[in-house]
């Protein structure tokens, strides 16, 4: 009897130690790969948060999501809540970068026209960039001010503009950078080029807006149809928990869930490819 208790105690201690080590390694990996990357992206958006605070916020969010999932759907709900809490930070960063990029593209034609007007009045490229950085709203004003700061620290202007393109991940900046580089190396009427580029980008933005308006209904229908099986499953679990629990406690149930998840992912991907039109 004593030997059995000793073996049980050793097994429990070994299991706890293993869980602790796995959890510690997983937390270190999440902190290095996700939190540090999120902090870097937030700094690029001029939002400064310490990694410790961000990690604590992610932990609190994960705990709340896990508890809410357990309250609604017991162990399966807790699993879904835990996964949702873990991926919440990367999803938020992706949406933040997309929103900031869209705002930058929306403000870019007006900024190019302002630069063209300043250069027609006799200003240099650097002076025109300074006027745009101080007078344009964020995020464009912030990004152009950062370009000027790098230039004043001794970095080449073309290199600073390339860094701007890599930060914003904006294809529209390729033409602007090319126009500035050609003007500084070969010469030419840069103000006229910027005027033409601003008109082109504005026309492109108007076309993309029309496309988004025409495809918005299709995107909404796709999300509704894609999320409907999940809502139906939650409703059935709330009404028939004993029958629905077989989906999470049997091998056939897990196989059906896997097939349903694969079909759902393929449906979401197919719908997004159909309604996403690149202008």
């Amino acid at each position: 009897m004593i030997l059995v208790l000793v073996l049980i105690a050793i097994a429990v201690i070994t299991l706890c130690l293993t869980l602790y080590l796995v959890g510690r390694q997983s937390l270190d990996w999440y902190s290095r790969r996700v939190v540090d990357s999120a902090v870097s992206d937030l700094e690029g958006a001029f939002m400064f948060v310490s990694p410790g605070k961000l990690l604590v916020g992610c932990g609190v969010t994960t705990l709340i999501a896990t508890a809410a999932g357990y309250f609604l759907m017991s162990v399966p709900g807790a699993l879904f809540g835990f996964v949702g809490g873990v991926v919440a930070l990367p999803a938020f960063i992706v949406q933040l970068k997309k929103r900031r990029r869209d705002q930058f593209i929306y403000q870019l034609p007006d900024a190019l026209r302002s630069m063209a007007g300043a250069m027609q009045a006799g200003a240099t490229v650097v002076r025109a960039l300074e006027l745009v950085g101080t007078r344009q709203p964020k995020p464009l004003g912030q990004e152009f001010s950062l370009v000027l700061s790098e230039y004043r620290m001794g970095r080449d202007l073309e290199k600073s503009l390339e860094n701007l393109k890599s930060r914003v991940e904006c294809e529209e900046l390729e033409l602007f950078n090319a126009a500035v580089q050609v003007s500084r190396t070969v010469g030419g009427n840069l103000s006229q080029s910027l005027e033409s580029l601003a008109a082109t980008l504005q026309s492109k933005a108007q076309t993309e807006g029309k496309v988004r308006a025409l495809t918005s209904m299709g995107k909404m229908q796709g999300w509704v149809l894609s999320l409907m099986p999940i809502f139906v499953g939650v409703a059935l679990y709330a009404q028939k928990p004993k029958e629905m629990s077989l989906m999470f406690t049997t091998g056939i149930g897990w196989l059906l869930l896997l097939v349903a998840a694969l079909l759902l992912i393929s449906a979401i991907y197919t719908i997004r490819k159909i309604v996403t039109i690149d202008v």
Side-chain angles (χ1 to χ4, degrees):
M1 184 63 181
I2 297 177
L3 181 60
V4 173
L5 293 176
V6 171
L7 292 177
I8 292 175
I10 294 175
V12 171
I13 294 173
T14 304
L15 179 61
C16 293
L17 184 60
T18 303
L19 292 176
Y20 171 77
L21 294 176
V22 171
R24 182 67 178 272
Q25 292 179 357
S26 300
L27 184 62
D28 292 341
W29 179 86
Y30 187 83
S31 178
R32 292 194 309 269
R33 299 295 297 272
V34 179
V35 175
D36 291 346
S37 177
V39 170
S40 178
D41 291 334
L42 289 175
E43 289 178 353
F46 293 85
M47 300 174 61
F48 302 98
V49 182
S50 65
K53 292 182 179 179
L54 195 60
L55 185 60
V56 171
C58 295
V60 172
T61 302
T62 303
L63 289 176
I64 293 175
T66 303
Y70 182 81
F71 178 76
L72 293 175
M73 295 181 58
S74 186
V75 177
L79 180 61
F80 290 142
F82 177 79
V83 174
V86 169
V87 302
L89 179 62
F92 169 75
I93 295 298
V94 169
Q95 290 298 320
L96 178 65
K97 293 176 66 176
K98 182 179 182 299
R99 181 180 178 183
R100 184 177 177 84
R101 175 181 174 274
D102 293 341
Q103 290 177 345
F104 184 92
I105 294 174
Y106 178 78
Q107 297 169 356
L108 187 57
D110 291 337
L112 295 180
R113 287 194 177 95
S114 298
M115 287 186 61
M119 295 181 66
Q120 289 174 359
T124 62
V125 177
V126 177
R127 178 56 182 167
L129 286 172
E130 183 179 358
L131 292 175
V132 170
T134 55
R135 296 181 181 180
Q136 290 292 325
K138 61 181 183 182
L140 189 141
Q142 293 175 329
E143 295 294 345
F144 274 72
S145 297
L146 185 57
V147 169
L148 279 176
S149 298
E150 292 180 355
Y151 175 74
R152 288 166 179 166
M153 292 293 293
R155 181 170 291 176
D156 189 68
L157 182 60
E158 284 78 10
K159 181 60 177 177
S160 299
L161 292 176
E162 285 295 329
N163 292 339
L164 170 63
K165 177 181 173 296
S166 63
R167 286 197 307 271
V168 183
E169 299 179 357
C170 173
E171 296 179 355
E172 285 76 1
L173 285 174
E174 291 184 0
L175 296 176
F176 172 68
N177 293 354
V180 173
Q181 184 176 4
V182 170
S183 175
R184 288 172 63 87
T185 56
V186 180
N189 193 344
L190 181 57
S191 62
Q192 185 177 357
S193 301
L194 294 181
E195 285 281 1
S196 302
L197 180 58
T200 302
L201 294 181
Q202 189 171 17
S203 177
K204 180 176 181 291
Q206 291 175 353
T207 304
E208 289 178 344
K210 293 180 181 179
V211 170
R212 283 195 297 267
L214 292 174
T215 59
S216 59
M217 182 60 68
K219 292 181 180 179
M220 181 59 65
Q221 292 175 351
W223 279 112
V224 170
L225 293 176
S226 301
L227 296 177
M228 187 176 294
I230 299 177
F231 291 133
V232 171
V234 172
L236 290 177
Y237 188 89
Q239 295 178 358
K240 304 282 187 179
K242 183 177 180 180
E243 288 79 0
M244 288 296 295
S245 62
L246 297 176
M247 295 289 294
F248 309 100
T249 56
T250 61
I252 297 178
W254 283 105
L255 180 61
L256 293 176
L257 287 175
L258 178 61
V259 173
L262 293 176
L263 292 175
L264 188 60
I265 294 173
S266 63
I268 293 174
Y269 176 78
T270 303
I271 292 173
R272 286 184 61 86
K273 293 293 290 185
I274 292 174
V275 300
T276 301
I277 300 175
D278 189 13
V279 178

